[in-house]
Amino acid sequence: MDPHEPMLVDPVPADQPQSSDDLAHLATQHGDGRLVKMDVDYTKQVDEALPKADTLLQSGNLSGALDSLAYLEKQSRLGSDMKSNARILEHMVKMCFEAKNWQLLNDTILVLSKKRSLIKFAIARMVRVCVEMVDKMPTEDERNKLIETLRTVTAGKIYVEVDRARLTQRLVKKLESEGKLNEACDMLLELQVETYGSMQMQEKIAVLLDQMRLSVARKDFVRASIISKKISTRFFDGEKKEDDTVQDLKLKYYDYMVQIGLHEEAYLDVCRYYRAMFETPKIQKDSAKSACMLKHAVLFVLLSTHDNEQWQLLHLIHQERKLEEVEQYKNLLELFIGEEIISWRETIVKNYEVTLRTSDDVKVFAPTTEGDKRYKAFQARVGEHNIRMVSKYYTQISFDRMAELLDYDVNEMETFLCNLIVTGVIPEAKIDRKERIIHMRARKANVEQLDQWGHSVHKLTDILNKVSHLILKEEMVHRHLEGK
């Protein structure tokens, strides 16, 4: 057939999406990206050749059956007959599988994937057929060899990247079961699934979560944090938010984020993660789990340093209706919302320590190294709250009185106060060791003091003028009424 002679083809509806199978008779996309029009249709030759190859296979001549298809495979490939070439490749690997010649199967896959002018569609179809054979392999050793062969074939090929990712996940699970955590993690991290356009978002997130899990397992929290930024949390709150699989992925994601946050001691972020898990429909239906998540959110917001975000989140949690079910944690939260001094020994230790330290479902302050560290940080947050309350009512206070209010020894109080001044929690405070007095507010210059007094006097005179105006107005109204 003359390559310049026009070829009759079936019309393609413009208003309907077409699959690659439907368009296979129009053009062929080669491995180097070229789009070539089909020269010759080998459908009839292939229909005749495949039964002959099956006959040779049944007689035990596998090599002869493969050889009988080799020349036709070359013709269909060079003739850009995508559909016929795909049928031949699929049949060749299926014959090797039916003959149970595993070594020849691997060799055939490698040879067919290295041909000149290979066709993307045909290779992709062959790879998918081989992926289905993986579970049917008789032994673990042969299964692993086939997986390695397919990973070699699919390396660097965008059109089979999803199949490569799935094969890699299988291999990673095997390595993980053998205790080769670092090797498994390195292999899975090679997959840049966030760039895979042909992979479904749900499957993509599942792979990224596996990458996070292995990174956290080997204590590589920096890598896990980088991977977490590739996951958009909007997916969890989208149209499929009620789906059980999506909710499971959401809970996994925030569980790993909690571990990262605890390692970085970012307690406010950890509180947000627990709130996100608490708001998951699956958790809302389970009263025990929802109460557990809410308890964690309360404790971690109290462990966070005081700022505008922490204060706002504190009130948001306090408005939660289900907080009524965990009354003791609600009372603890209200202690920090109220503008009163909290006694560490008489209030926290006496009323809450047993609950906080020995709770079965909340291990934030469990008697472990990390738990003791967080409990000490909680004591510091109580001290910071008390100092903020003291600064509202005192301009200066003695060492002994401050130590009494904070439930500290004088030396511990001084060390604690110095740390707060250095870290900027109370930057205006000054310590006079000679007089043993703490100045809670910075001393203002005389001019600033006079300006403040002048502003106060001006404000007072404005109020007096307004009041006198209202009095005069009432007197005039009453005179007018009496005159009538």
Side-chain angles (χ1 to χ4, degrees):
M1 179 182 290
D2 184 1
H4 300 289
E5 183 181 346
M7 182 183 298
L8 295 175
V9 296
D10 297 329
V12 178
D15 59 340
Q16 297 179 5
Q18 301 295 317
S19 66
S20 50
D21 284 334
D22 298 328
L23 300 175
H25 66 294
L26 295 178
T28 298
Q29 189 174 19
H30 286 281
D32 56 4
R34 292 178 294 121
L35 195 65
V36 181
K37 179 182 175 182
M38 183 174 67
D39 292 334
V40 185
D41 188 354
Y42 290 95
T43 303
K44 292 182 180 179
Q45 293 91 320
V46 172
D47 290 339
E48 295 173 0
L50 294 184
K52 293 179 181 179
D54 289 335
T55 304
L56 291 172
L57 176 64
Q58 290 172 4
S59 64
N61 188 5
L62 176 59
S63 299
L66 293 174
D67 292 339
S68 67
L69 295 175
Y71 181 68
L72 187 56
E73 186 276 328
K74 180 180 179 181
Q75 284 185 314
S76 62
R77 174 164 41 84
L78 298 179
S80 302
D81 186 355
M82 183 162 62
K83 188 174 289 188
S84 298
N85 188 251
R87 288 177 62 194
I88 294 171
L89 295 187
E90 287 181 14
H91 202 74
M92 291 175 78
V93 294
K94 284 180 179 178
M95 287 193 300
C96 293
F97 181 79
E98 291 172 5
K100 298 183 179 179
N101 193 331
W102 314 125
Q103 184 59 45
L104 186 58
L105 173 63
N106 292 327
D107 294 341
T108 302
I109 294 170
L110 289 171
V111 169
L112 293 176
S113 64
K114 294 179 180 179
K115 297 286 188 178
R116 178 171 63 91
S117 299
L118 60 85
I119 300 172
K120 289 183 178 181
F121 175 77
I123 295 297
R125 287 273 295 269
M126 181 191 72
V127 168
R128 290 189 182 95
V129 169
C130 294
V131 168
E132 294 174 1
M133 296 176 182
V134 171
D135 290 325
K136 301 175 184 177
M137 298 301 285
T139 63
E140 186 71 24
D141 186 47
E142 295 297 339
R143 186 180 298 116
N144 293 334
K145 286 181 181 179
L146 180 57
I147 290 175
E148 285 294 346
T149 301
L150 292 173
R151 289 187 74 249
T152 303
V153 168
T154 55
K157 294 182 175 67
I158 296 177
Y159 51 92
V160 286
E161 59 191 3
V162 176
D163 301 290
R164 178 178 173 79
R166 291 167 182 165
L167 290 168
T168 302
Q169 280 186 290
R170 296 175 67 103
L171 200 56
V172 164
K173 289 179 181 177
K174 171 185 170 293
L175 292 172
E176 193 178 359
S177 64
E178 294 174 355
K180 300 176 182 178
L181 182 62
N182 289 329
E183 190 177 345
C185 187
D186 291 337
M187 182 177 291
L188 192 60
L189 289 175
E190 291 176 1
L191 301 176
Q192 302 296 326
V193 292
E194 67 275 7
T195 64
Y196 292 1
S198 56
M199 182 180 279
Q200 294 293 327
M201 180 59 70
Q202 188 167 316
E203 186 178 2
K204 197 180 293 188
I205 288 178
V207 177
L208 290 171
L209 288 176
D210 272 342
Q211 292 180 349
M212 285 182 67
R213 177 178 58 82
L214 292 175
S215 298
V216 169
R218 69 172 183 178
K219 307 299 181 184
D220 189 357
F221 293 100
V222 175
R223 175 67 62 183
S225 180
I226 292 171
I227 296 169
S228 70
K229 293 178 174 63
K230 299 177 183 178
I231 299 176
S232 174
T233 55
R234 286 180 294 180
F235 171 76
F236 303 129
D237 300 323
E239 298 177 355
K240 297 182 179 180
K241 64 180 181 180
E242 299 292 337
D243 186 66
D244 287 341
T245 306
V246 174
Q247 291 184 57
D248 290 337
L249 292 175
K250 179 181 179 180
L251 294 175
K252 281 184 182 179
Y253 170 74
Y254 283 113
D255 181 50
Y256 301 144
M257 293 304 297
V258 164
Q259 296 181 55
I260 295 170
L262 290 177
H263 177 262
E264 297 174 351
E265 297 183 6
Y267 297 131
L268 193 62
D269 290 337
V270 173
C271 172
R272 292 195 186 98
Y273 303 147
Y274 274 113
R275 280 196 72 221
M277 287 192 279
F278 169 75
E279 292 169 358
T280 305
K282 199 171 188 178
I283 298 296
Q284 288 286 326
K285 293 176 184 177
D286 190 329
S287 58
K289 289 183 179 179
S290 62
C292 178
M293 297 300 173
L294 194 56
K295 290 176 184 177
H296 280 91
V298 168
L299 294 183
F300 281 110
V301 75
L302 296 181
L303 273 172
S304 307
T305 54
H306 178 78
D307 56 20
N308 291 335
E309 285 187 70
Q310 188 264 359
W311 188 246
Q312 183 181 8
L313 195 55
L314 195 71
H315 284 274
L316 284 175
I317 295 173
H318 184 254
Q319 293 170 5
E320 181 60 49
R321 291 183 179 180
K322 288 195 175 184
L323 199 61
E324 300 287 345
E325 299 174 8
V326 284
E327 187 176 355
Q328 198 164 19
Y329 287 83
K330 180 185 177 183
N331 295 336
L332 181 62
L333 195 67
E334 289 174 347
L335 289 176
F336 284 82
I337 292 176
E339 296 186 351
E340 297 291 339
I341 289 176
I342 304 171
S343 173
W344 175 257
R345 294 190 182 92
E346 295 298 324
T347 304
I348 303 297
V349 175
K350 187 175 180 180
N351 300 329
Y352 298 98
E353 185 174 37
V354 175
T355 302
L356 296 178
R357 301 282 280 177
T358 61
S359 177
D360 294 329
D361 56 345
V362 181
K363 305 292 185 181
V364 178
F365 300 127
T368 60
T369 304
E370 291 296 323
D372 292 340
K373 183 179 178 181
R374 285 193 283 268
Y375 195 63
K376 190 174 181 180
F378 181 58
Q379 185 178 3
R381 298 295 173 264
V382 173
E384 290 174 12
H385 170 83
N386 290 340
I387 286 179
R388 286 196 302 274
M389 296 304 105
V390 168
S391 65
K392 287 187 176 183
Y393 301 105
Y394 289 86
T395 55
Q396 60 182 29
I397 187 172
S398 66
F399 277 32
D400 295 331
R401 179 59 176 159
M402 178 66 88
E404 180 184 350
L405 293 174
L406 297 182
D407 282 339
Y408 280 137
D409 294 331
V410 174
N411 292 333
E412 291 179 356
M413 181 277 300
E414 186 178 355
T415 303
F416 177 67
L417 194 62
C418 288
N419 288 333
L420 295 184
I421 294 171
V422 170
T423 54
V425 176
I426 45 173
E428 295 183 351
K430 303 291 182 184
I431 297 176
D432 187 346
R433 283 185 173 175
K434 183 178 179 181
E435 299 293 336
R436 297 179 65 79
I437 291 176
I438 302 164
H439 298 278
M440 301 304 296
R441 300 170 192 171
R443 185 176 297 175
K444 295 182 180 179
N446 294 335
V447 176
E448 292 179 0
Q449 193 71 39
L450 288 172
D451 287 343
Q452 184 178 358
W453 289 347
H455 177 72
S456 299
V457 170
H458 182 70
K459 186 176 179 181
L460 179 61
T461 55
D462 285 344
I463 293 172
L464 290 173
N465 286 334
K466 188 174 182 180
V467 169
S468 63
H469 174 72
L470 292 173
I471 292 172
L472 288 173
K473 182 179 178 182
E474 289 293 325
E475 288 178 350
M476 292 175 67
V477 169
H478 282 287
R479 286 174 189 169
H480 180 70
L481 292 173
E482 289 174 358
K484 287 184 178 182

